[in-house]
Amino acid sequence: MSDAATATTDELDKYRRELTGYCYRMLGSSFEAEDAVQDTMVRAWKAIESFEGRSSLRSWLYRIATNVCLDALNAGNRRARPMDLTSPTPVAQAQLVKQPEITWLEPIPDGRVLPSVADPAETAVSRETVRLAFVAALQHLPPKQRAVLILREVLAWKASEVAELLDTTVASVNSALQRARATLAEQAPAASDTANPLDEEQKALLERYVAAFEGYDMKALTALLHEDATMSMPPYDLWLQGHDDIVGWMLGVGDVCRGSKLVATVANGSPAFAHYHPTPDGGFSPWALIVLELRDGKVGGMDFFLDTERWFPLFDLPARLEA
């Protein structure tokens, strides 16, 4: 590769992380977002000689990435959480019905999408807008409205800049933003506690959560959960709500998790844990990626992502824990 080509590739790569965050919010899939960014980079590299500099390189890349995402979304698929598809199921009626991978909103490591260096206000917005609940709410928007809202509200682009990117008018952008805001207000994703960095109270909460989970102490665990806390387990469409149903599940079908180990990580701007299940030889094997929602000093939601063959490598988690 020539020095010029290397320089071009390096220049493009400077935008990879923020573009991944943009594409993730658009598509709701960590793997599709990375594919979209790679497609964007390939298209940009091939067309770099035709880039005339009428806009910034960053704007040009966002234009390409937006088109890649809109093409992907034209297939009509909308990523969702179990809560978006069904009502909560009483534990007595709970059944595990597996849905295709393409159904589900996917978790993503913070390091793939959040800025490494930014002012506190920018970091807070970035974290809040990759939360599972927020990205799930975005999926209710038509693709172009989704792009407008992310560019205007999350990335703070001017209406004129968005209009130029989408080859439309400022009036059209403002109208799309107004409709997007109205739809998002109807979805009303619950606010979560700021968790960057964790304060002492949050650290203590997570320490108690680990102790309760690993000790399988349901009294201690429910003391940390909101009364209306939720629990979901993609790729299954089942989700549970409230202490009685969550404990009923944990002490019933979920009792196989007794004796598990948790390893801390982060996902979607939220605290998360790699959940390892005990094995007959005394070790521990991957069982789930748990993403927590913290709200008002307690745990408001627990999302157990069970497809560990996909998630653990993505999060650079060990394939096994020894005894």
Side-chain angles (χ1 to χ4, degrees):
M1 184 179 290
S2 68
D3 290 344
T6 300
T8 299
T9 301
D10 290 345
E11 188 68 23
L12 295 176
D13 273 342
K14 292 178 183 178
Y15 298 98
R16 185 177 291 273
R17 184 179 297 192
E18 65 175 280
L19 286 170
T20 303
Y22 175 62
C23 293
Y24 175 71
R25 295 177 181 97
M26 286 289 289
L27 302 173
S29 163
S30 46
F31 293 103
E32 288 183 4
E34 294 200 343
D35 287 346
V37 172
Q38 188 59 30
D39 190 0
T40 297
M41 293 298 181
V42 170
R43 294 189 191 189
W45 194 85
K46 289 180 176 178
I48 194 68
E49 291 185 1
S50 64
F51 173 59
E52 298 175 354
R54 287 195 296 266
S55 63
S56 69
L57 178 62
R58 180 173 182 258
S59 298
W60 184 61
L61 287 172
Y62 269 90
R63 175 191 286 268
I64 298 171
T66 299
N67 289 332
V68 170
C69 289
L70 293 178
D71 287 345
L73 291 168
N74 281 338
N77 179 61
R78 175 172 70 88
R79 297 273 177 168
R81 303 172 81 191
M83 304 76 163
D84 298 320
L85 304 180
T86 63
S87 299
T89 303
V91 70
Q93 301 170 21
Q95 293 182 333
L96 291 175
V97 179
K98 192 173 184 178
Q99 299 293 343
E101 172 273 321
I102 200 171
T103 305
W104 303 117
L105 184 71
E106 297 179 348
I108 196 164
D110 283 11
R112 302 288 181 104
V113 293
L114 296 181
S116 55
V117 179
D119 65 69
E122 183 181 341
T123 300
V125 170
S126 296
R127 294 178 72 87
E128 182 67 19
T129 57
V130 293
R131 285 177 48 233
L132 289 169
F134 185 85
V135 178
L138 288 177
Q139 307 308 301
H140 290 273
L141 301 176
K144 284 195 175 180
Q145 284 186 30
R146 198 179 309 176
V148 167
L149 186 131
I150 296 168
L151 291 166
R152 291 282 284 119
E153 302 274 275
V154 178
L155 301 178
W157 284 41
K158 297 176 182 178
S160 58
E161 294 172 327
V162 178
E164 182 178 354
L165 182 146
L166 293 175
D167 290 325
T168 188
T169 64
V170 169
S172 178
V173 166
N174 289 336
S175 177
L177 179 60
Q178 187 175 14
R179 295 195 302 275
R181 283 172 173 167
T183 301
L184 209 61
E186 291 174 3
Q187 303 307 317
S192 65
D193 294 346
T194 300
N196 181 36
L198 293 168
D199 61 31
E200 293 305 314
E201 183 179 343
Q202 291 169 330
K203 290 178 183 177
L205 171 64
L206 295 178
E207 288 172 1
R208 294 197 299 272
Y209 180 88
V210 171
F213 196 100
E214 291 187 345
Y216 229 66
D217 183 339
M218 292 300 109
K219 183 177 180 181
L221 183 65
T222 54
L224 308 176
L225 304 179
H226 281 283
E227 288 286 346
D228 62 349
T230 60
M231 175 179 173
S232 71
M233 293 163 280
Y236 300 105
D237 59 11
L238 171 73
W239 66 284
L240 305 162
Q241 186 168 39
H243 291 181
D244 290 346
D245 285 329
I246 290 174
V247 170
W249 178 268
M250 298 283 282
L251 294 179
V253 176
D255 197 62
V256 294
C257 293
R258 193 181 293 272
S260 294
K261 295 291 183 185
L262 300 184
V263 175
T265 185
V266 285
N268 294 81
S270 302
F273 293 97
H275 173 191
Y276 290 87
H277 191 270
T279 56
D281 62 2
F284 299 87
S285 61
W287 188 260
L289 176 74
I290 309 172
V291 183
L292 300 183
E293 284 280 350
L294 305 186
R295 175 166 44 89
D296 300 327
K298 288 192 172 185
V299 177
M302 303 181 290
D303 293 295
F304 289 70
F305 292 91
L306 300 179
D307 191 355
T308 56
E309 289 186 2
R310 302 179 78 222
W311 305 127
F312 277 45
L314 182 68
F315 281 78
D316 296 323
L317 293 165
R320 173 180 168 80
L321 297 183
E322 298 303 330

